[in-house]
Amino acid sequence: MNYVLDRFEGDFALFVGDDESILKLNKQDFLAYREGDVFTLESERLIFIKELTDLRRETVRNRFKKLRRG
């Protein structure tokens, strides 16, 4: 299952899963990442997936471009 880093809140990093589940983990372990980064859960560890992160960001950029054009 994949998770997206949704936000930092206090001492926690909050992740939203494909199934809308929430993971609340120690912020200090994810300071090198930013909101919107995509991870997969393997052996009880979150692993960063650059390719999915890049694809997700490009998709969001394209949606905003379409909205601006009206």
Side-chain angles (χ1 to χ4, degrees), residues 18-45:
D18 291 335
D19 63 354
E20 302 298 319
S21 62
I22 304 288
L23 291 178
K24 191 174 180 180
L25 303 171
N26 185 344
K27 178 181 178 177
Q28 294 300 316
D29 296 334
F30 298 96
L31 292 177
Y33 302 100
R34 61 186 203 176
E35 294 170 352
D37 285 350
V38 180
F39 296 77
T40 190
L41 186 60
E42 291 181 12
S43 303
E44 299 185 23
R45 282 186 69 218

Side-chain angles (χ1 to χ4, degrees), residues 8-67:
F8 293 105
E9 194 171 278
D11 292 334
F12 298 98
L14 281 81
F15 295 83
V16 177
D18 291 335
D19 63 354
E20 302 298 319
S21 62
I22 304 288
L23 291 178
K24 191 174 180 180
L25 303 171
N26 185 344
K27 178 181 178 177
Q28 294 300 316
D29 296 334
F30 298 96
L31 292 177
Y33 302 100
R34 61 186 203 176
E35 294 170 352
D37 285 350
V38 180
F39 296 77
T40 190
L41 186 60
E42 291 181 12
S43 303
E44 299 185 23
R45 282 186 69 218
L46 285 178
I47 309 296
F48 176 66
I49 305 174
K50 183 177 180 354
E51 295 80 16
L52 286 180
T53 298
D54 291 345
L55 179 62
R56 185 174 188 276
R57 286 205 166 90
E58 184 62 27
T59 300
V60 169
R61 265 192 291 273
N62 288 336
R63 287 181 184 166
F64 276 114
K65 285 179 187 176
K66 286 179 185 177
L67 286 172

